[in-house]
Each structure stands twice: as C-alpha cells, then as structure tokens.
C-alpha cells in the first residue's frame, strides 16, 4: 500500500530504524498509541515518559541527517498520481529545475508526486531527500531517494520539512497535501517562520480553494485581506521555481543587511564604550 492507503507493492514496514514484514507489522502506529486516550489504570504514567525519549531521538536523528543538506525546497502532492499523468511529469520538471537552481529536493519519500519529484532531482544529479512516516500498512521509500529518514511521528517529520526548506511547491493532492499546505501557511501567517514562498502548481486544481479563501473566509473576517497573498499560484514548473529562486535571493539579501546592521551597531557601541 502507498502512504495514503493505495495499492502499492510493499518492501517493508519501517518503524524508526526497524524493518518489519508479514505478521510482524503492528495494527496501530506510534502516533495512534501516543494520541489514544488511556483506558483504565495509570499505565500511561510509565509509558509516556519513555515515549518522550523516543520522540527526542527522532528529532536528534532528523537534525543530524539533514543539518548539512544546504538550500532545499519541499515538494508536496498526491501519492495517488500515476506515472502516466501530466502532474507526474510536472513534478519531475519542478525538481529538475530546483536542482539546476542549486536546491536539494525534499519530499515525503512515497509514491506519486513524491516519487516524481525525487526522480527529477536524482536524474538531474541533485540531492534527493525523502522523509518517510510509519503507517499501518506496508510501504517503502521510493527508489529515487538518496537520503531517506523514516519517522514514527508526524509532528517530528513536519518539523524537518519546515526547518530545512526555503520554500514549498505544492502540486495537486488530497488531505495530506492540504494538511502540509495549511500548516506552512499558518506558520508564515503567524510569523513563526520566515516568509518563505508557498507556490501552488495547477491553477485549475487549486482555484476553487483560492476562491473560497479570498471570498467567504476573508468576508467573514476570519483572516486578514492580505493573507491570501501568502499563496502564489502558477501553471508551469518554470514559474514555480522562478518564484522560489527570486524569494530566496530576497531573503538572503535581507539576512545580509540585518547582519551588517547588527555588526555596525556593535561597532558603534564598542566605540562609545572606548570613548567613555
């Protein structure tokens, strides 16, 4: 099965560093056990502290694996997309252009759009990264991933997507893709992260959602009128990558200016101290 339950030849169930097959595959995931309500007794008082150590190890492993990947962009989209569909070829082109622009490509490591983006990155001789997740059915990292990290917990995996990406390019997808899209939007809107670019590819697919956000959601005062501007929508791989590249140049310029200002302020303060 694929990472959203679609038929896909399995090559093993990953549970952190452990590979399970056949009858060894559990019926629940680590996320399910973490989020389930305790039924009777207080065993959770003993189980959850140990679970915290496991969560900590996931962050340590993720940070260690990804710390030196350099500039990277996350590409999201449906696991159900077939290799003969236009969106698959579009994702390959997006990844290839990202590599040519100097970026590594990060995906969820599964089939469909994820596989296409990893394929585009690898075929362009770039760094192809997959961040897998433990799910209640067999699934494996796609064959185009060069650097793969498997996670038990969705929140640890999501942290890696955001921490090591300079932008999100989102192709047509379902609930998982929407989850990733709106998490990124929320982090940017609330200034929890730098305003990295969020680009939707495929205007026909996304236009209904954009109309709803810009219409009823804005009209009801549920978001600010400027919030829809956080999303860019395009139809081609070239447009998507161009937005990411231009935004990256702008953010690096701002960072350099901020560093220069801080250094100048420090020098001025030191000079004032020396005079006194």
């Amino acid at each position: 099965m694929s990472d959203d339950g679609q038929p896909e030849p399995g090559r093993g169930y990953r549970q952190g560093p452990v590979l399970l097959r056949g009858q060894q595959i559990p019926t629940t995931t680590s996320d399910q056990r973490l989020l389930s309500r305790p039924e009777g007794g207080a065993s959770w008082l003993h189980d959850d502290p140990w679970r915290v150590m496991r969560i900590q190890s996931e962050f340590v492993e993720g940070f260690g694996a990804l710390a030196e990947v350099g500039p990277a962009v996350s590409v999201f989209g449906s696991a159900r997309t077939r290799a003969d569909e236009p969106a698959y070829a579009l994702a390959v082109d997006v990844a290839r252009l990202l590599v040519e622009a100097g970026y590594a490509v990060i995906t969820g490591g599964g089939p469909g759009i994820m596989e296409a983006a990893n394929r585009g990155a690898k075929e362009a001789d770039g760094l192809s990264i997959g961040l897998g997740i433990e799910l209640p059915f067999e699934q494996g990292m796609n064959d185009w991933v060069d650097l793969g990290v498997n996670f038990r917990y969705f929140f640890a995996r999501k942290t890696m997507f955001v921490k090591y990406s300079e932008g999100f390019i989102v192709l047509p997808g379902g609930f998982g893709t929407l989850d990733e899209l709106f998490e990124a939007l929320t982090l940017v809107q609330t200034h929890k992260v730098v305003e990295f670019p969020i680009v939707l590819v495929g205007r026909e697919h996304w236009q209904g959602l954009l109309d709803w956000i810009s219409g009823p959601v804005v009209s009801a005062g549920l978001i600010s009128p400027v919030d829809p501007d956080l999303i860019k929508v395009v139809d081609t791989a070239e447009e998507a990558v161009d937005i990411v590249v231009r935004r990256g140049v702008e953010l690096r310029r701002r960072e350099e200016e901020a560093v220069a200002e801080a250094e100048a302020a420090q020098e001025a303060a030191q000079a004032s101290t020396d005079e006194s």
Side-chain angles (χ1 to χ4, degrees), residues 171-182:
L171 284 89
F175 286 157
T177 303
L178 291 172
D179 175 51
E180 290 150 350
L181 167 61
F182 279 103

Side-chain angles (χ1 to χ4, degrees), residues 250-269:
E250 180 183 354
L251 291 176
R252 278 186 281 276
R253 177 182 58 79
R254 288 187 184 182
E255 183 178 352
E256 291 170 358
E257 290 175 352
V259 170
E261 289 177 3
E263 291 176 348
Q266 184 175 8
E267 290 174 0

Side-chain angles (χ1 to χ4, degrees), residues 74 76 106-108 131 157-163 165 168:
S74 287
F76 295 115
I106 303 176
T107 80
L131 305 181
R157 180 190 190 222
K158 287 181 175 181
T159 299
M160 302 304 152
F161 280 128
V162 174
K163 181 174 177 60
S165 296
F168 281 175

Side-chain angles (χ1 to χ4, degrees), residues 41-59:
S43 62
W44 63 272
L45 288 172
H46 309 289
D47 296 339
D48 282 359
W50 284 106
R51 187 172 286 126
V52 168
M53 299 297 290
R54 178 176 290 167
I55 292 169
Q56 181 182 5
S57 73
E58 290 222 325
F59 282 105

Side-chain angles (χ1 to χ4, degrees), residues 32 99 123 141 152 198 247:
Q32 285 176 305
V99 168
E123 289 181 339
M141 199 76 71
R152 288 183 172 91
I198 301 170
R247 183 60 175 161

